[in-house]
Amino acid sequence: MEEALEDPPMSAVLLDHCHFSQVIFNSVEKFYVPGGDVTCYYTLTQHFVPRRKDWIGIFRVGWKTTREYYTFMWVTLPVDLNSNSTKQQEVHFKAYYLPKDDEYYQFCYVDQDGVVRGASIPFQFRPENEEDILVVTTQGEVEEIEQHNNELCKENQELKDSCVSLQKQNSDLQAELQKKQEELETLKSINQELEQKVKEQQDGWETELLQLKEQNQELSSENEKMRVRVDQLREQLSTQEKEMEKLVQGEHGNTEQLERLQWENSQLSLSLTEQREHLKKLERTVTELKQKEATAAKKQQELMDENFDLSRRLSENKIIYNVLQKEKERMERENDHLKSENRRLMSYMGLDFDSLPRQGPASDQGRAGQNPALVYGNPYAGIQESSASSLLSSKKCPTCKSDFTGDICDHTLEQQLVQTLYCPICDKSFSATETQIFEDHMFCHSL
């Protein structure tokens, strides 16, 4: 046999004997002489199509997976798959690569997916002068085989009952998962409504505050202009008074000019009085605006408090949403695990999970009748494990005395959710007794 450039396709999974009849090995000797080449003859049945990566290996009797081959050879694909003459094939094993001990071996045809499609009767590598060993089965062994067969039938029935229970549990979990999904959808809609309401309130507050600031700036500007005008009128009045004093002291003015000056002085006094009254009105208006601004600030503080409450409710809803999302993922993983467990149990019992319900697999006697070419069967094919690796273990909660599966009980998860508060901004956690600290912490984020 030439040196292989790569390892053949293999599988670490225990194999199903129902595929062993698709390739039939012919003219297999009970023993082969050591030191000589060995030719393996085999026949492809009409239901099997060979592929490029198929191979034939020599396995020691009692093998469990296709990784336990001793040596192998790649198969040669027929030129015409529809011809009956091409169904008869052969491969040659060089003596150098054959086993040197006297253990029992057998040929196995493995396809490129690592699935065994045929197995030969056992044979040995020993000289011709050794006598064949006659295997005698006693009555006690026959009874032991029958007892073992009865135990397997009983175990098969138990596995069927377990499968029905797992299917019921699977349907219950699917219903609960649907309920959780509906709750998630409801929480999503509530969160969207709360976020929309908060956004609208914030927009209204910002618009009203901006209008108040603009009005305050306009009044302040007008107040400043009136102050400048009052100062100008005061300076003008002071100048007129000084001129009048000069005219009186100098006794050089006439009466008409004095009256005119007095009239102008009275007009200026009247204008000054009006300006003062207007200034007082402006001051009252500024005071009212300051009161409105204080009222608006107080209202803004109340709205900020309300916004803080809404934010806290929103964060609590987000926490509940995250917990429900994790619960949903956990239940989906558990559901997938149950499905894989059901498939594994179905495969172990020879059933097809996707076509349930249907009758169980045919008996070994029926399969032997369908393959008359396997005269000796495969008595040395090894013993598969007769029971599943592990089923889902149920636990009992010490508080509520209810059965549950997974890592934590549902009411324990709810208690943890109630007893812990999480900050939606920095993910800091607080216990239920630290409510005031949690509110102060959230208020610091809003500053």
Side-chain angles (χ1 to χ4, degrees):
M1 184 181 72
E2 297 180 357
E3 185 70 22
L5 297 179
E6 58 179 341
D7 294 332
M10 297 174 292
S11 175
V13 182
L14 294 176
L15 302 173
D16 192 354
H17 291 178
C18 63
H19 300 296
F20 284 13
S21 61
Q22 296 182 357
V23 177
I24 301 173
F25 289 92
N26 304 320
S27 303
V28 180
E29 303 292 339
K30 292 183 179 180
F31 63 90
Y32 293 94
V33 178
D37 297 343
V38 174
T39 301
C40 174
Y41 301 94
Y42 61 94
T43 302
L44 303 177
T45 61
Q46 60 180 355
H47 301 293
F48 178 72
V49 178
R51 291 182 287 181
R52 186 175 62 87
K53 287 291 186 177
D54 293 356
W55 54 282
I56 293 179
I58 297 178
F59 291 78
R60 180 177 293 179
V61 172
W63 57 274
K64 296 291 190 303
T65 66
T66 55
R67 292 182 178 180
E68 302 178 17
Y69 69 91
Y70 185 86
T71 184
F72 78 97
M73 284 291 295
W74 298 109
V75 301
T76 303
L77 294 179
V79 179
D80 185 7
L81 296 176
N82 296 325
S83 176
N84 293 328
S85 60
T86 59
K87 299 297 183 179
Q88 303 290 335
Q89 300 293 323
E90 64 182 37
V91 292
H92 299 278
F93 291 91
K94 297 294 184 180
Y96 178 78
Y97 296 100
L98 296 176
K100 303 299 188 295
D101 53 21
D102 57 351
E103 297 290 337
Y104 281 91
Y105 293 88
Q106 62 181 152
F107 298 113
C108 291
Y109 188 102
V110 184
D111 63 8
Q112 69 178 17
D113 295 328
V115 179
V116 177
R117 299 295 181 177
S120 69
I121 63 174
F123 55 85
Q124 288 181 291
F125 293 93
R126 60 182 177 84
E128 295 181 358
N129 55 359
E130 295 186 7
E131 297 180 356
D132 295 338
I133 300 175
L134 178 62
V135 179
V136 179
T137 303
T138 62
Q139 181 66 26
E141 292 178 350
V142 171
E143 293 177 355
E144 184 179 355
I145 291 173
E146 291 179 353
Q147 182 179 0
H148 184 64
N149 188 20
N150 294 331
E151 292 176 356
L152 289 177
C153 292
K154 182 179 179 181
E155 185 177 359
N156 187 16
Q157 184 62 35
E158 292 177 355
L159 289 174
K160 288 181 179 179
D161 297 338
S162 177
C163 180
V164 172
S165 176
L166 288 174
Q167 288 177 350
K168 183 178 181 302
Q169 187 177 2
N170 188 16
S171 62
D172 295 338
L173 287 175
Q174 288 179 351
E176 186 176 356
L177 180 61
Q178 182 66 27
K179 183 179 179 181
K180 294 293 184 181
Q181 289 177 347
E182 293 176 356
E183 293 179 357
L184 283 176
E185 294 297 331
T186 304
L187 284 175
K188 286 181 180 179
S189 62
I190 293 174
N191 285 335
Q192 292 177 356
E193 292 177 358
L194 288 174
E195 290 175 355
Q196 184 66 26
K197 183 178 179 182
V198 169
K199 185 177 179 181
E200 292 176 356
Q201 289 182 353
Q202 288 179 349
D203 294 338
W205 298 337
E206 292 176 357
T207 303
E208 185 177 356
L209 184 60
L210 183 61
Q211 292 176 354
L212 289 174
K213 286 182 178 179
E214 291 177 354
Q215 188 176 2
N216 189 16
Q217 290 178 357
E218 292 176 357
L219 291 175
S220 298
S221 177
E222 187 176 356
N223 187 15
E224 186 65 26
K225 291 179 180 180
M226 294 304 298
R227 289 181 183 276
V228 174
R229 179 62 179 165
V230 168
D231 292 337
Q232 291 177 354
L233 290 175
R234 285 178 179 176
E235 290 178 358
Q236 187 176 1
L237 179 61
S238 177
T239 303
Q240 292 293 336
E241 288 177 352
K242 289 179 180 180
E243 289 179 358
M244 192 175 73
E245 289 177 357
K246 287 180 181 180
L247 290 173
V248 172
Q249 290 177 0
E251 296 179 354
H252 299 294
N254 52 29
T255 305
E256 294 180 356
Q257 185 177 3
L258 180 61
E259 291 178 354
R260 183 178 62 81
L261 290 176
Q262 289 178 352
W263 180 81
E264 290 180 356
N265 190 15
S266 63
Q267 293 295 326
L268 289 175
S269 299
L270 181 62
S271 177
L272 180 61
T273 303
E274 292 177 353
Q275 293 295 332
R276 286 177 178 176
E277 291 178 355
H278 186 63
L279 180 61
K280 290 180 180 179
K281 290 181 180 179
L282 288 177
E283 289 178 352
R284 287 196 298 271
T285 305
V286 170
T287 303
E288 292 176 356
L289 287 176
K290 288 183 179 180
Q291 292 177 355
K292 289 183 178 179
E293 184 178 1
T295 304
K298 183 177 179 182
K299 183 178 180 181
Q300 183 181 6
Q301 182 64 33
E302 293 176 354
L303 293 176
M304 288 178 65
D305 294 339
E306 185 179 357
N307 185 20
F308 172 74
D309 294 335
L310 291 174
S311 300
R312 184 177 62 183
R313 289 176 56 191
L314 181 60
S315 63
E316 292 176 355
N317 288 332
K318 287 182 178 179
I319 293 171
I320 296 174
Y321 170 78
N322 293 331
V323 172
L324 291 175
Q325 187 70 23
K326 292 180 181 179
E327 181 67 14
K328 174 187 174 184
E329 294 175 356
R330 183 185 69 80
M331 295 186 69
E332 287 179 350
R333 291 196 300 269
E334 186 174 355
N335 189 19
D336 294 338
H337 181 69
L338 287 174
K339 287 182 179 179
S340 62
E341 185 70 15
N342 287 340
R343 289 191 180 95
R344 190 183 64 77
L345 290 175
M346 294 297 101
S347 176
Y348 177 80
M349 293 185 294
L351 298 178
D352 188 1
F353 180 79
D354 297 329
S355 61
L356 287 177
R358 66 170 58 174
Q359 293 181 353
S363 63
D364 295 338
Q365 183 178 0
R367 288 198 297 269
Q370 294 176 2
N371 300 280
L374 294 177
V375 178
Y376 298 98
N378 189 10
Y380 300 93
I383 302 174
Q384 293 184 342
E385 298 181 1
S386 61
S387 62
S389 59
S390 64
L391 298 176
L392 286 175
S393 59
S394 62
K395 303 178 182 178
K396 183 176 290 295
C397 178
T399 304
C400 61
K401 305 300 182 182
S402 61
D403 295 333
F404 67 95
T405 58
D407 298 331
I408 188 168
C409 183
D410 293 337
H411 88 278
T412 306
L413 182 63
E414 295 175 355
Q415 289 179 358
Q416 292 181 357
L417 178 61
V418 173
Q419 294 176 359
T420 306
L421 301 175
Y422 294 92
C423 177
I425 300 175
C426 63
D427 293 335
K428 187 175 180 181
S429 62
F430 302 86
S431 64
T433 59
E434 298 176 343
T435 306
Q436 185 61 40
I437 299 176
F438 174 73
E439 293 178 354
D440 295 339
H441 177 78
M442 292 298 298
F443 178 74
C444 291
H445 282 299
S446 63
L447 295 179

